[in-house]
Amino acid sequence: MSYTIKNVAVAGAGGNLGKVVTPTLVSSGKFNVRVLTRQGSSTAGLPEGVEVVEVDYSSPASLQAALAGQDAVVSLITTAAAMTQLALIDAAIAAGVRRFVPSEFGSNLANPKTRASPVFKDKVATEDYLVEKAQTTNLTYTFFYNNAFLDWALRANFIVDFTQPNPQVLDCGDQPFSATTMQSVADGLVGVLRHPAETENRAVYVHDLVTSQNRLLALARQVRPDRTWAPESVALDDLVAVAEQRMARGIFDFETIGPFLKRAIADPECGGVFTGRVDNELLGVKGRRTISSWSC
Ligand SMILES: NC(=O)c1ccc[n+]([C@@H]2O[C@H](COP(=O)([O-])OP(=O)(O)OC[C@H]3O[C@@H](n4cnc5c(N)ncnc54)[C@H](OP(=O)(O)O)[C@@H]3O)[C@@H](O)[C@H]2O)c1
């Protein structure tokens, strides 16, 4: 059955991604945007005219009331609270919402090796829950995969630590991976909501370019030729092994999570190169430049 999406509820609108997605949804002029936020959260910076509704994620009634009249939910909720989305999905079904886009926006969870990673356990559980509910209710879903956030990862010195003279590169540093700016994720989300039939009950793949750590380092050398750039190679397997030991000891901080994320992004077996399957054209994502050859 065909349907259009006009009323869009956004959860987690004030976060890293939400600050880009929310204004983009509003400025597209295609949607009425309602922001769901927890009591006491800051709403500073939200675009003017956006409706803000406070919700209590532990109250089904609060969530259902907040979703009344909405056609879609875009969840941008922080990873640590991913399981909160199960209540949001239940409320969406009860309120008659048609599309749910869970908070993913990263690695290719359709890849078996990535799907088995312990850091994606809650995201996978959310996907499984949506797939199950889509079989028995009117709720549909779209999973959004964009691999690494290019801008966020560069600012956070996550892919390459530009503050160091000896930044770490994984193995040879030449492994290609897809990367996407948060603006392109936002543009792609507009595309998903404008194409509900084509994006129903499936994953969409979006990227701006395929790059590598060495390619990014080459750009850094061009920008700062005055600095020392002497990358040090580390084996990705060794990094992950240390992270596994930390996890076994119950330590679940970013030092533990980071190597698993790096594996999902750049390990050639983890499906982090999207060339050949991207939905950029359908979703109106322009993309940038691709490097076509690599060797390791
Ligand atoms: N691919 C990548 O490289 C990459 C990088 C970063 C993030 N991501 C993904 O992008 C998505 C959004 O991440 P983000 O960094 O934008 O998130 P974030 O800034 O950490 O948080 C987003 C929002 O989550 C809400 N929130 C926080 N704690 C909550 C709780 N206990 N219950 C319910 N809501 C809660 C808050 O909204 P309110 O206070 O308004 O309720 C917050 O503004 C995640 O799925 C993340 O994994 C991907």
Side-chain angles (χ1 to χ4, degrees):
M1 199 205 303
S2 76
Y3 52 92
T4 54
I5 290 174
K6 183 71 184 166
N7 297 330
V8 179
V10 180
N16 296 309
L17 183 57
K19 283 191 183 107
V20 183
V21 165
T22 312
T24 303
L25 292 178
V26 171
S27 65
S28 75
K30 303 289 177 195
F31 314 109
N32 303 317
V33 177
R34 177 183 289 177
V35 164
L36 273 47
T37 186
R38 293 165 304 155
Q39 193 178 24
S41 289
S42 167
T43 55
L46 287 176
E48 274 192 26
V50 158
E51 185 187 6
V52 178
V53 179
E54 281 190 358
V55 292
D56 173 359
Y57 284 97
S58 67
S59 162
S62 157
L63 294 174
Q64 192 180 331
L67 294 181
Q70 300 303 296
D71 302 313
V73 175
V74 172
S75 172
L76 310 170
I77 285 176
T78 197
T79 311
M83 293 308 271
T84 308
Q85 296 177 105
L86 302 195
L88 197 56
I89 293 165
D90 287 341
I93 293 166
V97 172
R98 295 304 309 275
R99 177 64 49 89
F100 197 102
V101 184
S103 190
E104 309 212 297
F105 310 109
S107 296
N108 178 5
L109 295 185
N111 175 284
K113 191 168 177 180
T114 304
R115 202 167 181 82
S117 174
V119 295
F120 297 127
K121 186 168 62 66
D122 292 348
K123 287 189 172 184
V124 168
T126 307
E127 280 198 354
D128 288 346
Y129 195 67
L130 274 167
V131 169
E132 182 196 322
K133 293 297 177 186
Q135 285 165 7
T136 53
T137 72
N138 285 330
L139 188 69
T140 60
Y141 61 82
T142 305
F143 304 147
F144 198 110
Y145 302 150
N146 48 262
N147 214 39
F149 285 170
L150 184 61
D151 38 2
W152 176 88
L154 293 181
R155 274 202 302 269
N157 290 300
F158 180 64
I159 294 178
V160 177
D161 187 350
F162 294 109
T163 65
Q164 300 299 319
N166 307 105
Q168 201 178 67
V169 294
L170 305 171
D171 300 321
C172 66
D174 274 336
Q175 286 96 337
F177 55 85
S178 285
T180 315
T181 60
M182 291 191 283
Q183 185 58 58
S184 288
V185 172
D187 293 342
L189 269 168
V190 170
V192 166
L193 299 170
R194 291 191 68 189
H195 296 92
E198 298 93 327
T199 59
E200 180 173 301
N201 294 343
R202 72 173 180 98
V204 296
Y205 292 83
V206 161
H207 73 178
D208 279 324
L209 49 76
V210 176
T211 188
S212 70
Q213 287 182 299
N214 283 344
R215 174 75 186 136
L216 294 170
L217 275 164
L219 294 172
R221 282 192 186 97
Q222 280 176 29
V223 175
R224 288 293 305 273
D226 54 310
R227 273 191 50 181
T228 300
W229 297 103
E232 277 176 6
S233 170
V234 291
L236 180 56
D237 285 345
D238 292 347
L239 273 188
V240 173
V242 172
E244 280 170 343
Q245 286 165 14
R246 291 171 63 83
M247 199 171 271
R249 298 206 310 272
I251 308 168
F252 209 78
D253 56 10
F254 200 72
E255 200 179 327
T256 301
I257 296 166
F260 290 104
L261 295 179
K262 286 177 178 168
R263 161 152 284 168
I265 288 170
D267 181 336
E269 292 180 4
C270 282
V273 182
F274 293 172
T275 310
R277 73 172 99 172
V278 285
D279 292 289
N280 285 19
E281 197 177 329
L282 168 69
L283 303 180
V285 175
K286 293 189 185 70
R288 285 148 210 263
R289 208 150 56 93
T290 298
I291 53 166
S292 54
S293 65
W294 62 287
S295 58
C296 229

